[in-house]
Amino acid sequence: MAVCSSSTCCDGNFDEKEKNVSTTSFLESCIPLPLPQETLDDIVPKGKDFAVLHGAGMRHKAKYDPDTLYFAPFLLLPSAFPRREFDRVVKLQPLINVLMHKIAHDHEFLKSALEKTIQVDDFTARLWDIYTKVREEGVTQEVSLGLVRSDVMLTKCQAGCCELCQTPPYVTGHQVEVNTIASGFGHLGPMSGSIHRYVIGELRKPELLHHLPENDALAGLCGAMISAWEVYSSPKAVILFVVEDVTYNICDQRFHEYEIRRQRPDILVIRRNLTQISEQGRLTADKKLFIDGDEIAVVYFRAGYEPGQYHSEAEWDARLTIERSCAIKSPSIHYHLAGTKKVQQEIARPGVLKRFLTESEAEQVGQLFTGLYTLDRSAEGDKAVQMAMENPDHFVLKPQREGGGNNIYGSEIKEVLERLKDSQEREAYILMDRIRPPVQQNYLIRPHLPVTLAEVVSELGIFGAVLGSGKDIQFTNYSGHMLRTKLSSVNEALLHVHFYPTSTGWYKNCDLEVMAG
C-alpha cells in the first residue's frame, strides 16, 4: 500500500466527477443546520457576552483605542475535523519539535539551505548576519526554548489510494508550515473551546460535550517558559515579552502573562518593544541582559518576525544584544532561521529528514508534507517555474515572511513569476502545492456585522514545546492546539480581519468519526 503522496492522490486536484472516484468534499456538523432564527436570536448574544467576559477579545485595528476591546471573531459551533487525523498530528508533534531543534543546531544544513536566499532577501540576510556574528563570538547561552506550532490543513483524498485513506472521511492532513517564532493563539485556541462548551450547553446538547477534546495549550506553553526560567536559575530574574509597538491581539498575549503568574506568583513578566529594548537594554561583562534594572532570564518573542518591526538600526542592535546575552531565547536566532520557508522546503527533499530522524520517524513526519519546490536558478527551479505558470491555481507562492497576508495565489503567481523568472530574485520564494480542504458550514460571529451561515475551511495548529541545547534535549512535548477557520472563498487569512475567526475542536461520532473545532 502506498503512503500518502501529493504526487499521487492526496492533493485535492483530481476530478471528483470522474467515474469511481470517491472522496470527502463536505464535513457535516453534529448539529443540524441552519438553526431556527429564534435559536440564533437567543444564543448569539449569549456567546458574544461569554467571549468578552472570558477574555476572548482583540483591539480593533482600523479603530484602535486602548480603552476599547472587541470580542474576537469566532464560530458559533465547533468545526469538524477527523479524529484519526487529529490524533496522528498530535502524536507527531514531539517529533516535529525534535526535528526543528536539530535543524536549528545544524550549522552546515542551515548554511546550505539559506545560502542563496540570503543573497536576495534582505530580511533573512539580516537575521543570518546576527546568527553568524553570535556564532563567531561564541554562543553565550546554549539552551534554547522552542515554542513550535505546526499548522495542518485537511486535503481531499481519493478513497483507498494510500494507507491514510482507507476509511471515511477520505481526507488526510498536510502541513502548511511550521512556526518557530510568535506562535500565537495559545489563549484564544483553548478559550474558543470554552465558548463552544457554553454554546453547546445552552443549545441543550450536553451529550455532545465529551466530543470536545481537552486543550491545555496556555498552561503548556507557559509551563515551558517557567521551565526555561528555572534552568536560568536566578530567582529575581524576570521573563521579557518582546511585543509590537501596538498590540491588537492583546488578550492572547496578556493571558500568557496571567497564566505564568497563576502557576508561579514569584515570576514577573515585563513587556517591551524592540525600540524600548534598544533604549533600556544593556549587557553586563558576563553577558547578563538587564532591562531597566531587571535581569532577564527568558525572552519570549511575540514580535521581530517581519521587517516592519525593525524601524532602524536601533531595533536590529536590540535583537543582536538579546542574542548575545545569556538569557534563554524563544526563539533563539538559529531557531528563527530554522522556521523559514526555504528551510521547510529543503527538508521536504527526498531523504533529508533522515539526517535528523530515524527512518521510521522520517517516514511518519514525511507523510505530513505536501509538494514543496525550490525556485533556485537551476534546472529544478526552472521546472517548478514552468509548472506554476502553466497551472497557477494548483500552487501557492511563498516569500520568506511570517504573520499572514504574504502568500501569492492564482493568476498573480503567473504575473510575479513572469516578472522574476529570469531574475535571481525568484530565489527569495518557494513554491508549494495548494491544499484543497473539504468545506463545512458554520455561523460567523463578528463585531458590528450580521450573523452569517457560510461555507468555511479550517487549519489546525498543534503546539509543541522543546527545551535543550545542541548536545541534549531536556524535554519535548505536545502542548495543546488551536483551530482557525476562514471563508472557503478567501485565499489567505489575516489575524486582525473579521473573516478569520478562531475556533477549537470536538470529536464527533456520527456517520463519520471526526473531531471538530
Side-chain angles (χ1 to χ4, degrees):
M1 180 67 65
V3 299
C4 179
S5 167
S6 61
S7 63
T8 55
C9 68
C10 296
D11 60 2
N13 285 315
F14 50 82
D15 184 359
E16 295 172 27
K17 296 179 181 179
E18 187 178 327
K19 187 177 180 180
N20 297 326
V21 171
S22 179
T23 187
T24 300
S25 298
F26 190 86
L27 296 173
E28 297 284 349
S29 171
C30 273
I31 295 177
L33 299 177
L35 295 175
Q37 188 60 47
E38 57 269 24
T39 300
L40 284 174
D41 292 342
D42 175 66
I43 196 61
V44 169
K46 291 179 178 178
K48 291 179 179 180
D49 288 347
F50 188 96
V52 170
L53 296 174
H54 288 78
M58 288 182 171
R59 291 189 174 128
H60 203 293
K61 191 169 187 179
K63 303 175 182 178
Y64 178 79
D65 182 346
D67 295 329
T68 303
L69 196 67
Y70 294 80
F71 67 85
F74 65 94
L75 298 183
L76 186 63
L77 303 171
S79 301
F81 201 96
R83 180 197 298 265
R84 177 193 71 217
E85 292 304 297
F86 179 79
D87 289 344
R88 180 168 74 97
V89 294
V90 165
K91 182 180 178 181
L92 285 176
Q93 189 59 41
L95 271 183
I96 292 173
N97 300 341
V98 170
L99 171 64
M100 301 312 295
H101 185 84
K102 289 183 176 181
I103 290 170
H105 289 88
D106 190 330
H107 171 71
E108 292 305 320
F109 181 78
L110 286 177
K111 182 179 178 181
S112 174
L114 294 172
E115 60 183 354
K116 293 182 179 179
T117 304
I118 60 178
Q119 295 177 29
V120 291
D121 186 88
D122 290 341
F123 182 67
T124 308
R126 293 299 301 263
L127 297 175
W128 183 262
D129 286 346
I130 292 175
Y131 166 73
T132 302
K133 187 170 293 186
V134 171
R135 189 170 185 273
E136 290 174 349
E137 293 175 355
V139 176
T140 305
Q141 178 56 264
E142 293 187 355
V143 175
S144 296
L145 173 62
L147 298 179
V148 178
R149 196 186 71 216
S150 174
D151 293 337
V152 175
M153 290 188 81
L154 295 175
T155 307
K156 292 180 290 186
C157 184
Q158 295 185 47
C161 76
C162 68
E163 64 186 33
L164 299 178
C165 302
Q166 295 303 299
T167 57
Y170 298 117
V171 293
T172 186
H174 278 154
Q175 189 179 78
V176 178
E177 63 181 354
V178 176
N179 297 275
T180 60
I181 183 170
S183 302
F185 292 98
H187 163 66
L188 288 179
M191 181 46 59
S192 59
S194 297
I195 295 171
H196 290 144
R197 286 182 174 85
Y198 171 74
V199 168
I200 294 299
E202 289 298 302
L203 291 175
R204 304 186 184 190
K205 299 285 187 180
E207 69 277 7
L208 297 178
L209 290 174
H210 73 280
H211 297 308
L212 285 155
E214 293 299 319
N215 189 1
D216 295 322
L218 186 63
L221 296 172
C222 293
M225 283 189 258
I226 291 170
S227 294
W229 180 88
E230 292 171 342
V231 168
Y232 187 84
S233 191
S234 180
K236 293 184 179 181
V238 305
I239 297 176
L240 169 65
F241 282 20
V242 181
V243 299
E244 313 95 324
D245 298 342
V246 178
T247 299
Y248 301 101
N249 191 15
I250 188 64
C251 288
D252 194 63
Q253 291 188 20
R254 287 292 189 187
F255 272 84
H256 283 74
E257 296 178 44
Y258 306 155
E259 178 62 19
I260 290 171
R261 180 64 57 84
R262 185 192 71 80
Q263 292 187 32
R264 286 293 299 268
D266 56 323
I267 299 177
L268 182 69
V269 173
I270 65 172
R271 295 165 57 89
R272 298 289 190 278
N273 60 39
L274 287 168
T275 305
Q276 292 169 326
I277 294 169
S278 73
E279 297 166 348
Q280 303 167 12
R282 65 179 179 88
L283 291 182
T284 62
D286 55 355
K287 299 296 182 69
K288 291 180 180 178
L289 175 62
F290 280 82
I291 305 287
D292 268 355
D294 286 315
E295 182 182 356
I296 308 300
V298 177
V299 181
Y300 171 49
F301 284 92
R302 286 298 294 250
Y305 53 81
E306 59 100 0
Q309 292 162 348
Y310 298 83
H311 310 302
S312 67
E313 288 302 309
E315 287 74 27
W316 285 109
D317 288 344
R319 182 69 186 269
L320 178 59
T321 297
I322 292 170
E323 296 300 333
R324 280 173 163 161
S325 78
C326 60
I328 297 174
K329 276 76 72 175
S330 179
S332 58
I333 192 69
H334 44 296
Y335 251 96
H336 191 166
L337 290 167
T340 56
K341 303 295 189 295
K342 181 59 180 176
V343 168
Q344 292 174 34
Q345 177 259 306
E346 288 295 319
I347 63 174
R349 289 183 179 277
V352 172
L353 283 175
K354 294 178 185 178
R355 180 182 180 119
F356 306 102
L357 305 172
T358 68
E359 186 169 350
S360 173
E361 292 169 344
E363 181 178 354
Q364 293 177 65
V365 172
Q367 288 185 8
L368 277 180
F369 294 164
T370 187
L372 291 157
Y373 312 95
T374 182
L375 292 179
D376 290 352
R377 297 186 72 186
S378 62
E380 183 183 10
D382 290 343
K383 181 178 179 181
V385 168
Q386 181 180 357
M387 186 169 61
M389 292 183 68
E390 290 176 353
N391 293 289
D393 288 336
H394 288 187
F395 302 97
V396 181
L397 188 62
K398 291 188 167 188
Q400 309 302 311
R401 295 292 180 270
E402 302 297 332
N406 300 299
N407 295 338
I408 299 167
Y409 298 83
S411 60
E412 192 178 353
I413 293 178
K414 191 172 182 178
E415 295 173 11
V416 172
L417 290 181
E418 187 67 48
R419 175 169 53 86
L420 298 180
K421 65 180 181 179
D422 297 321
S423 167
Q424 191 178 6
E425 288 182 55
R426 80 186 201 192
E427 295 178 339
Y429 297 82
I430 67 162
L431 191 69
M432 187 182 88
D433 284 345
R434 187 166 183 173
I435 297 173
R436 304 286 182 178
V439 300
Q440 53 193 295
Q441 286 190 319
N442 212 322
Y443 288 98
L444 277 63
I445 314 298
R446 300 164 290 182
H448 306 308
L449 290 172
V451 176
T452 305
L453 180 61
E455 288 194 344
V456 296
V457 295
S458 297
E459 180 177 302
L460 178 68
I462 302 296
F463 292 107
V466 54
L467 182 70
S469 67
K471 297 177 182 178
D472 70 334
I473 293 175
Q474 297 187 27
F475 65 76
T476 174
N477 59 42
Y478 158 72
S479 301
H481 67 275
M482 50 80 73
L483 193 126
R484 297 173 293 180
T485 304
K486 64 179 181 179
L487 292 171
S488 60
S489 58
V490 172
N491 279 331
E492 187 170 12
L494 301 176
L495 297 186
H496 302 300
V497 292
H498 289 306
F499 55 71
Y500 205 90
T502 56
S503 62
T504 191
W506 64 347
Y507 291 116
K508 170 190 171 187
N509 290 321
C510 301
D511 296 332
L512 305 177
E513 184 181 30
V514 304
M515 164 238 160

